[in-house]
């Protein structure tokens, strides 16, 4: 069975518990991620069939309107995970154990009053964490890349950090936030890394808040690809390479020197030589993720780019072309 997930900025959960229970009676979810619960520790929450894990808002914080909560169905194998590098985001994380794989899932809330420098610091720490994860919630970040009418600083920082860390941003087709003043916007996002097959989030016209709940599904047999890395020759330690190569060559040839002029056993000697090179390479040349441009160019943009580059090479002789090149840019 696929894992069904609901994420919702409820803006005060206490008075909406009957409403949420009624929704769960007709719509089953394995995991429910809630933001802006506005709960204090004295309030107890009980949903039959679910385990409740929560991080209540801090009333002494500069950003008091928060609190996050996860309801996880008792059929799901999990363990709670702590992540201490976040200073301003409200967050709670679980490690979901599914078949022979595991991944992190988190519920996050970022206050709209959070300073951009604090936002950038937390989002960098959050998305640079190793391993596969899914993080859903209210990021309070606007960007035209996920269908907002305009972009703000937080949205620009979020998109840049996702690109740097090979994360995917998923948004609904329809707006999820309807403020009292201003146009509807897309603030509720699903950010994932290293997990393939997650369905596109769907905005639901249920539950009372100025944020619509969103639902998405993780396949039962999730596909977590192995991280592809390439050699970083720029940071290679060639002195260590030569030392390792000499040491391994002496070790492999102490009994019988390599002789590539001898036809018998030539394949075996070539294999030995390649093995020495691979050992030396592993010891001295680090690995790095390959650069991947996440948004492929269309054929039209490729043609315009080629024309721009051609005209740019002629600017020295024909300065009047500079305006055309700027237009192409």
């Amino acid at each position: 069975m696929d894992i069904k997930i609901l994420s919702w900025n409820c803006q005060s959960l206490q008075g909406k518990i009957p409403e949420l229970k009624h929704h769960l009676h007709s719509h089953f979810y394995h995991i429910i991620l809630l933001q802006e619960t506005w709960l204090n520790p004295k309030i107890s929450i009980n949903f039959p069939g679910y385990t409740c894990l929560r991080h209540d808002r801090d009333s002494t914080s500069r950003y008091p309107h928060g609190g996050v909560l996860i309801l996880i169905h008792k059929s799901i194998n999990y363990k709670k995970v702590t992540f201490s590098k976040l200073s301003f985001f409200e967050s709670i994380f679980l490690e979901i154990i599914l078949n022979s794989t595991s991944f992190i899932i988190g519920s996050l809330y970022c206050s709209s009053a959070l300073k951009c420098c604090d936002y950038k610091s937390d989002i960098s720490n959050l998305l640079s964490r190793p391993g596969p994860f899914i993080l859903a919630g209210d990021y309070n970040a606007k960007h035209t890349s996920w269908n907002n009418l305009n972009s703000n600083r937080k949205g620009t920082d979020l998109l840049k950090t996702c690109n740097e860390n090979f994360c995917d941003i998923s948004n609904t087709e329809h707006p999820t936030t309807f403020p009292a003043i201003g146009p509807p916007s897309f603030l509720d996002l699903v950010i994932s890394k290293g997990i393939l097959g997650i369905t596109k989030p769907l905005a639901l016209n249920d539950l009372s808040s100025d944020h619509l709940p969103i639902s998405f599904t993780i396949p039962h047999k999730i596909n977590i690809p192995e991280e592809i890395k390439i050699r970083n020759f720029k940071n290679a330690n060639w002195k260590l390479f030569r030392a390792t190569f000499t040491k391994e060559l002496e070790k492999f040839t102490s009994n019988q020197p390599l002789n590539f002029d001898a036809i018998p056993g030539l394949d075996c000697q070539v294999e030995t030589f390649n093995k020495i090179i691979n050992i030396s390479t592993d010891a001295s040349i680090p690995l790095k993720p390959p650069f991947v441009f996440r948004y492929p160019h269309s054929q039209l943009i490729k043609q315009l780019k080629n024309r721009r580059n051609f005209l740019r090479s002629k600017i020295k002789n024909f300065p009047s072309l500079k305006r055309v090149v700027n237009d192409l840019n």
Side-chain angles (χ1 to χ4, degrees):
M1 186 183 299
D2 295 339
I3 296 181
K4 297 180 180 179
I5 300 175
L6 179 76
S7 178
W8 180 38
N9 182 327
C10 55
Q11 289 199 334
S12 183
L13 176 63
Q14 187 176 6
K16 300 172 183 175
I17 292 176
E19 181 183 5
L20 181 57
K21 286 184 176 180
H22 181 266
H23 179 78
L24 295 180
H25 182 72
S26 54
H27 301 81
F28 175 75
Y29 301 97
H30 294 91
I31 302 172
I32 298 144
L33 311 173
L34 301 178
Q35 303 88 40
E36 282 205 87
T37 55
W38 299 6
L39 297 175
N40 64 58
K42 296 179 181 179
I43 301 173
S44 61
I45 300 294
N46 180 36
F47 283 78
Y50 290 89
T51 301
C52 177
L53 300 168
R54 51 195 268 196
H55 175 78
D56 296 332
R57 64 175 175 170
D58 185 359
S59 58
T60 62
S61 171
R62 289 180 294 169
Y63 314 109
H65 295 292
V68 287
L69 182 148
I70 296 182
L71 296 172
I72 184 163
H73 195 263
K74 293 182 178 179
S75 63
I76 301 296
N77 191 12
Y78 75 94
K79 62 181 179 181
K80 191 173 181 180
V81 177
T82 56
F83 188 63
S84 58
K85 292 186 177 181
L86 299 182
S87 302
F88 304 99
F89 273 44
E90 300 272 357
S91 59
I92 187 169
F93 303 95
L94 299 179
E95 181 181 5
I96 304 299
I97 302 165
L98 187 65
N99 298 330
S100 59
T101 59
S102 64
F103 61 92
I104 301 296
I105 189 164
S107 177
L108 290 105
Y109 170 70
C110 166
S111 171
S112 58
L114 184 63
K115 295 180 179 178
C116 290
C117 58
D118 296 334
Y119 185 94
K120 186 175 182 180
S121 172
D122 266 13
I123 207 69
S124 297
N125 290 330
L126 180 67
L127 300 184
S128 61
R129 63 180 302 153
F133 58 73
I134 299 172
L135 307 173
D138 180 3
Y139 288 84
N140 264 307
K142 296 181 180 180
H143 201 278
T144 54
S145 296
W146 48 89
N147 295 343
N148 285 288
L149 296 178
N150 49 45
S151 304
N152 60 12
R153 174 72 180 277
K154 293 175 182 176
T156 302
D157 290 339
L158 178 60
L159 180 62
K160 181 180 178 182
T161 308
C162 283
N163 288 338
E164 291 173 349
N165 292 280
F166 305 98
C167 299
D168 292 319
I169 303 176
S170 298
N171 60 277
T172 58
E173 292 185 0
H174 304 286
T176 58
T177 309
F178 298 86
I181 301 175
S185 55
F186 299 76
L187 301 180
D188 302 278
L189 305 170
V190 178
I191 297 181
S192 61
K193 178 180 179 181
I195 301 179
L196 304 178
I198 302 174
T199 61
K200 187 176 180 63
L202 177 66
L204 307 175
N205 293 314
D206 294 328
L207 305 175
S208 56
S209 171
D210 64 355
H211 288 252
L212 294 180
I214 63 174
S215 67
F216 58 97
T217 301
I218 305 172
H220 180 61
K221 294 182 178 180
I222 63 172
N223 186 358
I224 300 179
E226 293 184 3
E227 190 173 7
I228 300 173
K229 293 190 175 182
I230 60 175
R231 293 289 173 187
N232 186 0
F233 290 98
K234 185 177 180 180
N235 295 331
N237 186 340
W238 295 112
K239 186 175 181 180
L240 177 60
F241 180 89
R242 286 191 291 270
T244 307
F245 183 88
T246 302
K247 179 181 176 182
E248 295 297 326
L249 185 63
E250 291 175 354
K251 184 194 301 183
F252 278 98
T253 61
S254 58
N255 297 326
Q256 182 179 0
L258 292 175
N259 181 12
F260 295 111
D261 293 329
I263 300 301
L266 182 62
D267 290 341
C268 183
Q269 295 193 71
V270 169
E271 185 179 346
T272 300
F273 188 72
N274 286 334
K275 190 179 294 184
I276 294 171
I277 292 177
N278 290 335
I279 293 173
S280 305
T281 300
D282 291 338
S284 59
I285 306 177
L287 294 169
K288 67 173 184 177
F291 175 79
V292 178
F293 191 81
R294 295 180 64 244
Y295 306 101
H297 287 23
S298 68
Q299 189 60 36
L300 174 61
I301 291 197
K302 287 182 180 178
Q303 292 173 359
L304 294 173
K305 184 184 70 173
N306 291 339
R307 179 168 176 76
R308 180 205 62 185
N309 293 343
F310 172 76
L311 294 177
R312 182 183 283 168
S313 67
K314 304 294 182 182
I315 285 181
K316 188 175 181 181
N317 297 326
F318 304 97
S320 60
L321 289 175
K322 187 171 183 181
R323 178 177 293 179
V324 180
V325 171
N326 289 338
D327 290 342
L328 287 168
N329 273 334

